[in-house]
């Protein structure tokens, strides 16, 4: 009797998760793939073919934008790591108690605020009539207004800003778990600061570095707001291209193929990152 | 470099200067957004024309404040409706998932767990277009077969809610599972020994124990729903949630009324974020 009841309970718990994953995740992605391999041959008439993928590889604008998005995302990830590591190290190792909590919270607050608001802030700072341009003029460093917006550097500043928390949090967590006595031992045995960093701190922080890099890369690759608003019309970001195909051109078949290519790249990077570091998805995502 | 190992003073100061510069970089965009909400000018930029509260309370064009700007108020209302639905659904399904993963052993559990994490690594834009494509094809099939209209499956609030729910549920599941794992099952057994029914024990013992995690994940879900842009952008119909409405205004170039909305958003999100942290850390 009780086993029947627990059996029923089990199926009642299984129903919502299956409904969620099958209807909202699995079937839509299967559908996306099916649309991406169908070619329009007449009004409401389609046949199966790889034409949309062929169009992607034949048109330089498409695959160059794809490559550009990937390279810029890698660059943003590297920059985020370089800028974020010292901060994470400072919070984890050089502060304690209340200072540590305060600094950590100060890192978090900007990320609870909408990405739109953060990007809007950068627009006010960087544009021709903006704060930085006016500041430089007031200091007499430049003679006229300077436009800092609508270029790749602006996109990079925005991408790093948007994703740095996702680097700092896992790094602080892994660095926190590194025993200070190991660092002391490194110095006692005559290691220089660089050697201690290279031989002790970085190897220990590796899981945090990998999970941070994976998340930051994914976020940059799939970002839409920052490149479009800070990069302007010529930002050439792949998500922007997907949006154009879907909403402006109404070419869903090509748009689906683009979407699938982006999904493959993103999953491939996650997979490689996990393989290289020997971690599982559950550990990495559970942490962040 | 740790406190117990002496370092050159100069290096120490350089390091501190970098940390300070970093926090200035973090605070700068949000500060300027806030400051320009009080500028008495129709553009959110320099020069500074004096202090005004018109962008909050103004009633005369062009100085129409947030609290009198119809389109923004309506967008806030839309966002609130969406956020409440998403948060309610995500927390309900998340709680069920937590019980499933913590309390039951079954074939394919590890596989289902990985599947549950997948929404985290799918870019939001892709999640949006896949749901858009799928629901449109269902709508087309149904309309061809029945001759009726199925507007709920076309871009609009229902799809926005489903799209946001599809990945926010993963966060709710993770937060609630973590708390359920800390629960001592002997408490529930004691209740059963004292004559409680299975459901009664869960309702009176287990759910109150989970409450901090449930509240925290509800707050985080509301926050994530309010701020979501990528998935929403692909699924939105004629009623725009706040982020989409602000994005449209931003592209047209707007008055500091946007700064005023943003400042309110900053205040509310920081408060909600702190509340969620308090609930998560308090009773652990």
């Amino acid at each position: 009797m009780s086993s029947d009841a627990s059996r029923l309970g089990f199926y009642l718990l299984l129903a919502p998760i299956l409904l969620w994953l099958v209807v909202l995740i699995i079937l839509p992605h299967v559908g996306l793939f099916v649309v991406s391999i169908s070619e329009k041959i007449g009004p409401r008439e389609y046949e199966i073919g790889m034409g949309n993928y062929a169009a992607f590889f034949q048109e330089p604008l498409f695959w160059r934008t794809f490559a550009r998005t990937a390279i810029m995302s890698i660059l943003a990830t590297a920059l985020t790591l370089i800028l974020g590591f010292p901060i994470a190290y400072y919070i984890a190792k050089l502060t304690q108690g209340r200072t540590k909590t305060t600094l950590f919270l100060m890192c978090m607050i900007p990320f609870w605020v909408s990405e739109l608001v953060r990007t809007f802030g950068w627009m006010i700072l960087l544009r021709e009539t903006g704060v930085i341009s006016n500041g430089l003029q007031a200091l007499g460093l430049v003679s006229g207004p300077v436009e800092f917006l609508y270029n790749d550097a602006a996109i990079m500043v925005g991408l790093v800003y948007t994703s740095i928390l996702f680097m700092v949090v896992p790094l602080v967590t892994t660095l926190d778990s590194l025993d200070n006595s190991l660092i002391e031992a490194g110095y006692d045995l005559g290691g220089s600061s660089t050697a201690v960093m290279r031989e002790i701190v970085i190897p220990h922080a590796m899981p945090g570095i990998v999970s941070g890099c994976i998340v930051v890369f994914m976020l940059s690759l799939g970002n839409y707001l920052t490149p479009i608003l800070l990069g302007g019309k010529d930002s050439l970001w792949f998500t922007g291209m997907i949006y154009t195909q879907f909403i402006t051109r109404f070419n869903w078949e090509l748009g689906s193929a683009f979407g699938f290519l982006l999904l493959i790249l993103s999953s491939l990077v996650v997979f490689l990152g996990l393989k290289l570091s020997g971690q599982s998805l559950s550990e990495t995502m559970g942490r962040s | 470099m740790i406190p117990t190992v002496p370092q050159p003073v100069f290096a120490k100061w350089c390091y501190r200067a970098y940390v300070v510069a970093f926090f200035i970089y973090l605070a700068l965009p949000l500060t300027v957004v806030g400051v320009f909400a009080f500028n008495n000018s129709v553009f959110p930029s320099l020069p500074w024309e004096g202090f005004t509260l018109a962008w909050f309370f103004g009633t005369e064009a062009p100085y129409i404040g947030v609290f009198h700007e119809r389109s923004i108020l309506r967008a806030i209302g839309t966002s609130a409706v969406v956020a409440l639905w998403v948060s309610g659904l995500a927390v309900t399904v998340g709680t069920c998932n937590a019980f499933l993963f913590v309390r039951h052993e079954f074939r394919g559990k590890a596989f289902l767990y990985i599947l549950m994490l997948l929404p985290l690594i799918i870019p939001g834009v892709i999640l949006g277009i896949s749901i858009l494509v799928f629901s449109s094809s269902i709508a087309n099939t149904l309309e061809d077969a029945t001759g009726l209209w199925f507007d709920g499956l076309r871009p609009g609030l229902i799809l926005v809610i489903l799209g946001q729910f599809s990945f926010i549920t993963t966060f709710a599941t993770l937060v609630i599972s973590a708390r359920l794992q800390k629960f001592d099952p002997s408490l529930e057994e004691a209740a059963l020994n004292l004559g409680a029914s299975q459901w009664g024990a869960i309702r009176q013992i287990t759910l109150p124990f989970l409450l901090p995690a449930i509240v925290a994940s509800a707050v985080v879900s509301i926050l994530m729903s309010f701020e979501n842009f990528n998935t929403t952008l692909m699924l939105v119909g004629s009623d725009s949630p706040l982020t989409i409405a602000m994005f449209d205004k931003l592209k047209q170039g707007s008055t500091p009324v946007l700064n005023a909305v943003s400042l309110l958003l900053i205040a509310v999100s920081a408060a909600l974020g702190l509340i969620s942290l308090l609930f998560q850390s308090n009773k652990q």
Side-chain angles (χ1 to χ4, degrees):
Chain A
M1 182 62 208
S2 97
S3 115
D4 272 0
S6 82
R7 187 124 273 230
L8 178 70
F10 171 68
Y11 286 116
L12 279 179
L13 288 178
L14 199 59
I17 190 172
L18 286 183
L19 210 61
W20 160 42
L21 290 173
V22 172
V23 174
L24 290 176
I25 307 293
I26 299 174
L27 286 180
H29 284 87
V30 172
L32 189 72
F33 179 68
V34 171
V35 173
S36 79
I37 55 165
S38 43
E39 291 169 38
K40 202 169 193 163
I41 50 170
R44 307 206 71 175
E45 265 185 90
Y46 298 93
E47 67 177 18
I48 290 177
M50 300 303 278
N52 299 312
Y53 292 94
F56 168 81
F57 288 104
Q58 276 156 15
E59 171 64 54
L61 179 66
F62 295 160
W63 63 259
R64 279 193 191 148
T65 305
F66 187 72
R68 175 186 141 87
T69 309
I71 292 168
M72 295 267 290
S73 300
I74 292 172
L75 210 62
T77 310
L79 264 176
T80 313
L81 177 61
I82 293 167
L83 292 175
F85 194 89
I87 301 301
Y89 189 85
Y90 192 88
I91 294 178
K93 287 279 163 257
L94 299 176
T95 57
Q96 281 171 344
R98 190 161 286 177
T99 325
K100 187 178 207 149
T101 321
T102 315
L103 285 187
F104 203 58
L105 274 182
M106 275 165 64
C107 275
M108 306 258 293
I109 286 175
F111 300 91
W112 289 330
V113 177
S114 165
E115 191 186 348
L116 190 87
V117 175
R118 288 180 250 153
T119 314
F120 182 37
W122 280 111
M123 289 175 77
I124 297 177
L125 283 169
L126 295 176
R127 69 173 142 220
E128 210 175 340
T129 54
V131 176
I132 292 180
S133 166
N134 273 295
L136 289 178
Q137 285 176 71
L139 289 174
L141 293 174
V142 291
S143 53
V146 194
E147 179 70 279
F148 290 102
L149 216 50
Y150 311 126
N151 56 50
D152 289 357
I155 298 182
M156 208 47 93
V157 169
L159 285 180
V160 170
Y161 186 85
T162 293
S163 43
I164 199 145
L165 173 81
F166 300 94
M167 189 64 89
V168 170
V169 169
L171 283 179
V172 169
T173 317
T174 46
L175 287 174
D176 249 344
S177 68
L178 171 63
D179 197 333
N180 278 354
S181 57
L182 289 175
I183 303 179
E184 279 167 25
Y187 280 110
D188 288 346
L189 293 171
S192 65
S193 288
T194 347
V196 170
M197 239 337 136
R198 204 182 53 229
E199 304 290 336
I200 299 174
V201 179
I202 291 182
H204 183 87
M206 215 49 192
I209 294 177
V210 170
S211 51
C213 284
I214 290 177
V215 174
V216 171
F217 180 79
M218 261 168 31
L219 286 178
S220 306
L221 199 64
N223 202 322
Y224 177 84
L225 262 181
T226 305
I228 299 297
L229 287 179
L230 298 183
K233 286 206 162 53
D234 305 319
S235 58
L236 292 175
W237 207 257
F238 204 63
T239 47
M241 211 155 250
I242 295 176
Y243 181 81
T244 311
Q245 292 303 332
F246 261 89
I247 311 292
T248 324
R249 298 272 175 79
F250 221 69
N251 188 347
W252 286 22
E253 294 75 35
L254 190 57
S256 300
F258 285 1
F260 224 77
L261 288 165
L262 194 70
L263 186 62
I264 289 171
L265 177 62
S266 157
S267 320
L268 204 67
V269 168
V270 175
F271 179 77
L272 283 180
L274 292 177
K275 271 274 154 303
L276 283 178
S277 64
Q279 294 184 80
S280 75
L281 185 66
S282 326
E283 300 166 15
T284 312
M285 290 303 159
R287 193 175 300 130
S288 59
Chain B
M1 206 185 268
I2 48 172
T4 46
V5 177
Q7 288 289 327
V9 178
F10 180 69
K12 237 187 222 169
W13 280 106
C14 280
Y15 198 3
R16 268 186 209 156
Y18 173 71
V19 174
V20 170
F22 177 81
F23 280 102
I24 292 177
Y25 167 75
L26 274 193
L28 204 54
L30 299 185
T31 314
V32 293
V33 165
V35 167
F36 280 103
F38 300 103
N39 190 9
N40 194 358
S41 148
V42 289
F43 303 107
S45 58
L46 290 171
W48 183 257
E49 305 273 8
F51 179 88
T52 178
L53 285 175
W55 298 116
F56 291 90
F57 304 106
T59 48
E60 284 163 54
Y63 288 83
I64 296 181
V66 194
F67 298 114
H68 298 280
E69 169 91 45
R70 283 254 177 81
S71 59
I72 290 198
L73 289 179
R74 204 179 315 123
I76 292 178
T78 311
S79 275
V81 170
V82 170
L84 288 179
W85 271 101
V86 168
S87 157
L89 284 170
V91 168
T92 312
V93 175
T95 310
C96 290
N97 293 351
F99 275 97
L100 181 71
F101 284 121
V102 176
R103 292 281 176 88
H104 291 272
E105 292 303 325
F106 53 95
R107 270 221 323 253
K109 179 175 169 179
F111 176 72
L112 195 64
Y113 192 74
I114 300 265
L115 217 57
M116 187 275 294
L117 290 174
L118 276 189
L120 289 186
I121 58 164
I122 301 173
V125 173
I126 313 286
L127 215 50
I129 57 171
S130 68
I131 291 175
L132 174 67
V133 164
F134 183 60
S135 68
S136 300
S137 66
I138 291 182
N140 286 342
T141 318
L142 286 177
E143 282 170 10
D144 285 350
T146 62
L148 301 170
W149 295 105
F150 290 89
D151 286 336
L153 293 171
R154 301 292 180 191
L157 287 190
I158 295 181
L159 285 195
V160 170
I161 291 171
L162 288 178
Q164 294 185 354
F165 161 79
S166 72
F167 71 94
I168 292 177
T169 308
T170 303
F171 288 93
T173 306
L174 290 175
V175 172
I176 299 173
S177 299
R179 176 105 183 140
L180 187 58
Q181 253 153 8
K182 295 201 186 101
F183 180 71
D184 182 358
S186 60
L187 291 175
E188 215 175 88
E189 279 159 24
L192 290 176
N193 285 341
L194 292 171
S197 66
Q198 180 80 47
W199 169 239
I202 289 180
R203 201 169 40 113
Q204 300 207 328
I205 310 287
T206 323
L207 286 184
F209 175 82
L210 286 181
L211 200 63
I214 290 179
V215 174
S217 61
V219 171
V220 171
S221 304
I222 290 178
L223 209 56
M224 289 177 80
S225 162
F226 239 89
E227 295 176 357
N228 181 263
F229 184 81
N230 288 353
T231 310
T232 310
L233 178 72
M234 296 295 170
L235 298 170
V236 76
S238 49
D239 295 320
S240 310
L242 187 58
T243 42
I244 305 287
M246 284 173 72
F247 179 67
D248 289 338
K249 278 191 190 290
L250 200 53
K251 276 195 301 191
Q252 294 157 10
S254 149
T255 64
V257 75
L258 267 189
N259 296 65
V261 189
S262 303
L263 186 61
L264 295 177
L265 267 181
I266 293 173
V268 173
S269 349
L272 283 181
L274 287 174
I275 290 173
S276 82
L277 278 193
L278 278 181
F279 264 96
Q280 269 178 302
S281 61
N282 232 3
K283 294 198 178 174
Q284 272 174 10

